[in-house]
Amino acid sequence: MEELNDFTEENNSSNFDLKAELYKYLVYWKWILLGLILGGLIAFLYNRYTIPQYQTTSTLIMVDDQEANAMSALPTGGGTILSLDEDGLQSQIEKLKSKQLVSSVVKELDLNIAYYIEGNVITVEAYKASPIVVEFISADSVVDNTYLNFNVIPISDTDFTLESEDENYYDTHKIGEIISLGNLEFIILPKSGEEEGSFKRSSTVYIKITPVNVVTNNLIADLFVAPKGKAKDILILSTVNESSAKSEDFLNKLMLRFNEEGVEDKQEVAANTTSFIQERLEMITSELDSVEVGIAEFKRENQIMSVQAGAAQFQSKFSAAEQQIFDFETQIELLRSVENLLRKRGQYEFLPEVGIANGGISGLISSYNTLVMERNVYLEEGTAKNPVVKTITEQLDLLRNNLFESIESTRQTLNIELREVSQRENLAEGEFSNFPGLEKGMRNIERQQQIKEQLYLFLLQRREEAAISFAATASVARVVDEAFTYENPVDPAPRLILLGGLLIGLLIPIGIIFIKNFLDTKIHHRGDLDPVLKTIPFLGEIPRINSGQSDVIQTNDRSPLAESFRILRTNLAYLIQNKDKNIGDVIFVTSTVKGEGKTFISYNLSRTLASTGKSVILIGADVRNPKLHRYTIATEGTVEKGLSDYLYDLDVNSYDIISRTKEEEIKVDVVLSGPIPPNPAELLMNDRMEELLKHFKTLYDYVIVDTAPTMIVTDTLLISQLADYTLYVTRSDYTEKKLLDFPKDLKKQGKLKGLAVVLNDVDNSKFSYGAKYGYSYGYGYGYGQDSESRWQRFKKRISNSN
């Protein structure tokens, strides 16, 4: 038995009780277990019915331009035409992820048209496994920009039902019949090779048509392209999709199209060079014919066949000068041709490489072509406003200007050198002043012929090199590993999902319980009274009265209510065991606020004490809000006066206000509150209240006083010193925890004598001394009381609800 004697020493140890905190959650173990089961079940169903996603990977190696160039095997090297600087691995990655390239793959594989087979629970994509195909009559431009969803439900081998919720369409059609739906026209055909009758047995096919640009954007978003490890020329491509066959076809076709377009880009340079050389050849041929005709006419007019013998001496002296003049004039002619091409061609087009080494012309043309190719790559997935494109455009403009400047500078240099050589030639010519003018004219004509012939042969050689390069251009990349799919899905991860589901299923009820406990400001069991019980003894707890149960104890009552009041009576006896037995004990019953059940406690406590043969009188001292009259069912005699009458009227004595009750053989005398006075505090302060209590102490063993709440009014505190003991009533699920400091303060200030706490209206699941620690064994027993079965309790609950 807990020591109930008055004590004031407060325990300063920590208030945290791990066991109690755990039991706050364990008391809801059924809900926590249910949360775990539901979380695990949801995770299992998610794993079971979620379509798995698989990762597909392929590897591509970039081919070096110098190694791939077939012209490197030619005698002249040939690299001046197709030898391009490496775009860089990042440029290749951007090319692989460009919208132009991916959209071409989407169109070629018809990835914008998806077929799905409806299952019992989920719908899965039937890539290359659909029992039907859709053939469109509408133009590709219309199909590529259309959203449309519809179901095909086979009825027989020749008939089917077409249903579209988007278009609010439902009709029956035949195989091969032209169908107009939305802005599309198409026909439905069974897949070739199917056995007879298979179409009728097919499941419903859901067909989804999506615009090409939307499918392209989705594929680009899922496409991962990056260098493999530290390699500078190997790329790894991967994507994640529910259909591994679809992913493999996409990656393989993407690599193929990347190679094809790379070859086309290289061949475009060779084609442009061939076209330029052909134009120049036609022009040189015409000029060469004109020179040869001039030679023939010159010889015919001057009646000579050869001037070789006469010019032998001249040839020996002027050979060096003539060779230099020839070289300079050839270079000047090539410069003029390139300059004319630059002026005729539009900006940002490929230029032919004609092998002009002077002034760095060849290097500038090679750099110009490289930037043009890089600019075209970025324009395929962006616009001219792209910052990278703008930068390249500025570089091209600068190179173009540099080319003009270099050509002009080189021409000036050649002209200067040509004049110097011509001066030396003229100086030598003076030495042969006697040489006939015929020889000089003939040499000029022959020199023009040689220039044209050399230029003609040079251009023929370049044309052949360009043609060979066009035909033998190698791939820009080679496939190392074709697309393959890993066996294990990347999503969902079954173990992780199951673990996450169990964790969420555990955390949700725990979180709800935590929030409920955090926001809960009421007391519920004895454990919540710990802040008070460190300074005030605990007298007992009263169980909650269920519907249909009596709130008044009876003779030979074996209910939990009666047993709890017997325990209260026993604990009260320990509290007052050292008192003088010759006079009665005055016991005040009060609370913090109204509604906590002090009148209920007062009345039943008085009956419990009276059932042991003790004389008991119950006084209703809550004159502002009297409740005691609700419990006094029968009286012996009629008493019309109450406590307020006695306190106000000096002519009324103590015997005039006593109502003698005898209910169920339990005799308890009662003093009702009487009429509600206008000044209850002043009435309680006069000496008659003290005289009344002293008189009753000589007549009764126990004087129980039902007083007013201490926080609301001051009535109880005015007479608190007249009590021998004070029972302070708190109520489960009603009294605020923050109000527990109030009785502690009253105890410290000495305003309440013999203070002890009673907990009223405790739920059965929390009713017992074990509830102090957050758990309970329950109070489902009574001495001699038969236990009820679950079925009996269920029937009783149903009858009570009715």
Side-chain angles (χ1 to χ4, degrees), residues 52-68:
Q53 302 281 326
Y54 295 91
Q55 182 178 5
T56 303
T57 302
S58 62
T59 308
L60 195 67
I61 183 170
M62 298 296 110
V63 179
D64 183 79
D65 283 342
Q66 297 296 332
E67 296 178 1

Side-chain angles (χ1 to χ4, degrees), residues 709-739:
T710 55
M711 178 175 282
I712 298 177
V713 294
T714 188
D715 297 359
T716 301
L717 299 179
L718 293 175
I719 60 174
S720 62
Q721 299 305 313
L722 303 178
D724 296 318
Y725 306 98
T726 303
L727 303 187
Y728 203 95
V729 179
T730 59
R731 183 175 179 181
S732 175
D733 301 335
Y734 185 85
T735 303
E736 296 283 346
K737 292 179 181 179
K738 62 183 179 180
L739 297 180

Side-chain angles (χ1 to χ4, degrees), residues 42-51 492-498:
I42 293 174
F44 171 77
L45 293 177
Y46 180 85
N47 288 331
R48 175 65 177 82
Y49 296 109
T50 298
I51 300 175
R495 294 184 180 179
L496 185 61
I497 295 296
L498 184 60

Side-chain angles (χ1 to χ4, degrees), residues 92-110:
Q92 307 298 343
I93 292 175
E94 296 298 329
K95 173 68 175 177
L96 283 165
K97 299 185 70 173
S98 64
K99 290 185 178 180
Q100 177 270 332
L101 181 62
V102 176
S103 63
S104 66
V105 175
V106 171
K107 293 177 182 179
E108 189 169 350
L109 296 178
D110 291 331

Side-chain angles (χ1 to χ4, degrees), residues 382-420:
T383 64
K385 296 182 180 180
N386 190 314
V388 178
V389 176
K390 286 184 177 180
T391 302
I392 297 175
T393 302
E394 292 174 359
Q395 295 176 356
L396 286 171
D397 293 338
L398 182 60
L399 275 177
R400 185 181 181 89
N401 294 331
N402 291 340
L403 274 171
F404 281 113
E405 292 176 359
S406 297
I407 291 171
E408 182 61 26
S409 176
T410 303
R411 183 189 293 113
Q412 292 177 1
T413 301
L414 291 174
N415 286 329
I416 292 173
E417 293 178 352
L418 182 62
R419 284 195 297 270
E420 291 178 355

Side-chain angles (χ1 to χ4, degrees), residues 11 46 86 123 173 226 229 283 337 456 472 474 493 501 689 720 724:
N11 187 1
Y46 180 85
E86 184 180 356
T123 299
H173 298 277
M283 184 184 301
S337 300
Y456 181 79
M689 186 64 184
S720 62
D724 296 318

Side-chain angles (χ1 to χ4, degrees), residues 53-57 238-241 484-490:
Q53 302 281 326
Y54 295 91
Q55 182 178 5
T56 303
T57 302
S238 68
T239 186
V240 176
N241 194 279
F484 66 94
T485 303
Y486 294 98
E487 294 182 358
N488 297 325
V490 296

Side-chain angles (χ1 to χ4, degrees), residues 271-530:
N272 289 336
T273 302
T274 302
S275 176
F276 165 74
I277 292 174
Q278 186 63 34
E279 293 176 2
R280 297 301 303 161
L281 279 173
E282 292 175 359
M283 184 184 301
I284 296 299
T285 300
S286 177
E287 293 175 354
L288 188 59
D289 290 341
S290 177
V291 171
E292 290 176 348
V293 170
I295 292 174
E297 291 179 354
F298 182 84
K299 289 182 177 180
R300 186 171 53 251
E301 290 175 359
N302 294 281
Q303 297 180 355
I304 60 172
M305 293 302 294
S306 173
V307 293
Q308 188 69 28
Q313 188 178 2
F314 178 77
Q315 180 69 30
S316 62
K317 294 183 178 180
F318 291 101
S319 59
E322 288 177 350
Q323 183 63 40
Q324 290 181 343
I325 291 173
F326 165 75
D327 292 336
F328 292 148
E329 289 181 347
T330 301
Q331 293 293 325
I332 292 172
E333 183 67 19
L334 288 175
L335 285 175
R336 185 181 298 112
S337 300
V338 174
E339 185 178 21
N340 291 336
L341 176 64
L342 275 174
R343 298 188 186 280
K344 289 180 182 179
R345 288 287 180 90
Q347 291 184 329
Y348 318 129
E349 295 184 4
F350 291 103
L351 297 177
E353 180 61 59
V354 293
I356 302 176
N358 298 68
I361 303 298
S362 294
L364 290 175
I365 292 176
S366 178
S367 299
Y368 187 91
N369 286 336
T370 298
L371 288 176
V372 169
M373 181 176 293
E374 186 175 356
R375 183 177 183 269
N376 291 339
V377 169
Y378 282 102
L379 281 176
E380 288 174 354
E381 62 177 325
T383 64
K385 296 182 180 180
N386 190 314
V388 178
V389 176
K390 286 184 177 180
T391 302
I392 297 175
T393 302
E394 292 174 359
Q395 295 176 356
L396 286 171
D397 293 338
L398 182 60
L399 275 177
R400 185 181 181 89
N401 294 331
N402 291 340
L403 274 171
F404 281 113
E405 292 176 359
S406 297
I407 291 171
E408 182 61 26
S409 176
T410 303
R411 183 189 293 113
Q412 292 177 1
T413 301
L414 291 174
N415 286 329
I416 292 173
E417 293 178 352
L418 182 62
R419 284 195 297 270
E420 291 178 355
V421 174
S422 297
Q423 289 176 0
R424 290 197 301 269
E425 182 187 26
N426 292 333
L427 183 62
E429 185 179 7
E431 297 176 359
F432 296 95
S433 58
N434 295 327
F435 191 82
L438 177 64
E439 182 67 20
K440 183 178 180 180
M442 189 63 186
R443 294 303 297 173
N444 287 332
I445 295 174
E446 289 178 349
R447 184 186 302 125
Q448 292 296 324
Q449 182 187 27
Q450 290 176 0
I451 292 173
K452 299 300 181 182
E453 287 178 348
Q454 290 292 332
L455 185 59
Y456 181 79
L457 293 174
F458 175 80
L459 291 177
L460 279 178
Q461 181 182 9
R462 288 296 178 180
R463 186 180 67 176
E464 292 303 316
E465 290 177 355
I468 295 173
S469 179
F470 181 86
T473 302
S475 301
V476 296
R478 291 197 299 269
V479 176
V480 178
D481 290 320
E482 291 190 348
F484 66 94
T485 303
Y486 294 98
E487 294 182 358
N488 297 325
V490 296
D491 181 55
R495 294 184 180 179
L496 185 61
I497 295 296
L498 184 60
L499 180 61
L502 292 173
L503 185 60
I504 293 174
L506 176 65
L507 291 179
I508 288 178
I510 289 180
I512 294 174
I513 296 169
F514 172 78
I515 295 174
K516 175 180 177 296
N517 292 335
F518 181 78
L519 299 178
D520 186 13
T521 61
K522 309 290 185 180
I523 64 173
H524 302 285
H525 49 75
R526 179 179 175 179
D528 294 333
L529 295 175
D530 280 345

